[in-house]
Amino acid sequence: MSGYPKRPDRDDTNVIGARIGAQIIDSLVGFAILLGVVLLFGVMGGATGNSDIAGSFGLIGLLLGFVGSVFYGFFLEGYWDGYTVGKKLLGIKVVKEDGSECGYGSAFLRNALEIIDGLFYYVVGFIFMASGDKRQRLGDRIAGTVVVKETPRDTGASTATETTPETEPTP
């Protein structure tokens, strides 16, 4: 399902613990991407037998790995309906404030501003989340996004259903 079935409210954004867990998982995935690319380019550079070329391969690998680990967050959120691996595993996702799908532009903006939100071990992000009704960090506020539970909590309101003569009790 694309987006969110309703406009998210305060209860839908009560996911701070899941956000922390998802951030840890996504940081590990980003590190694995970085490490994998660096190792791949390191092996290719080492296979040349020339230390100058090997050093160049290592630097290229480091740059590409960094770009890949940064690209991971906003690409997946834009492509995969607001999910990253961590968010999917913990049942949360990113949507726009009106409940519509996040999209690449909003995902890029909120992830680019994670540099500021992540200062002092995400204290800046926590301050922004605590000071707002929708628990948005700075990147979310500027991008117009919120992080919500995967599906809205059931409020217990029952829906009216029609009864047919076969299902009505007899007096």
Side-chain angles (χ1 to χ4, degrees):
M1 177 167 152
S2 179
Y4 205 61
K6 66 176 190 142
R7 182 178 194 89
D9 59 22
R10 183 166 174 78
D11 287 337
D12 296 321
T13 62
N14 189 13
V15 293
I16 293 174
R19 286 181 79 161
I20 293 169
Q23 182 64 41
I24 291 168
I25 293 168
D26 290 332
S27 294
L28 291 173
V29 171
F31 180 73
I33 290 169
L34 173 67
L35 185 62
V37 172
V38 168
L39 286 175
L40 175 67
F41 274 78
V43 168
M44 290 187 328
T48 65
N50 183 324
S51 63
D52 291 336
I53 294 174
S56 297
F57 267 84
L59 181 60
I60 292 169
L62 186 61
L63 291 173
L64 289 176
F66 177 74
V67 168
S69 66
V70 169
F71 184 73
Y72 155 81
F74 86 83
F75 175 76
L76 273 186
E77 285 177 0
Y79 178 77
W80 198 16
D81 193 27
Y83 293 108
T84 59
V85 173
K87 288 179 181 72
K88 185 68 172 174
L89 288 173
L90 294 176
I92 59 176
K93 67 192 237 175
V94 179
V95 296
K96 291 207 174 190
E97 290 176 319
D98 64 1
S100 63
E101 190 173 338
C102 177
Y104 289 108
S106 297
F108 176 77
L109 189 56
R110 75 180 298 276
N111 281 285
L113 290 168
E114 189 171 348
I115 294 168
I116 296 169
D117 288 321
L119 291 174
F120 309 110
Y121 299 101
Y122 286 90
V123 168
V124 173
F126 284 124
I127 290 170
F128 273 99
M129 288 169 46
S131 67
D133 189 43
K134 296 178 187 172
R135 298 176 180 93
Q136 297 166 293
R137 56 183 180 81
L138 176 64
D140 289 318
R141 290 181 187 191
I142 292 175
T145 58
V146 291
V147 179
V148 295
K149 297 171 186 166
E150 195 168 20
T151 54
R153 188 172 52 133
D154 186 14
T155 59
S158 62
T159 57
T161 57
E162 289 185 32
T163 58
T164 59
E166 295 90 27
T167 60
E168 290 181 358
T170 55

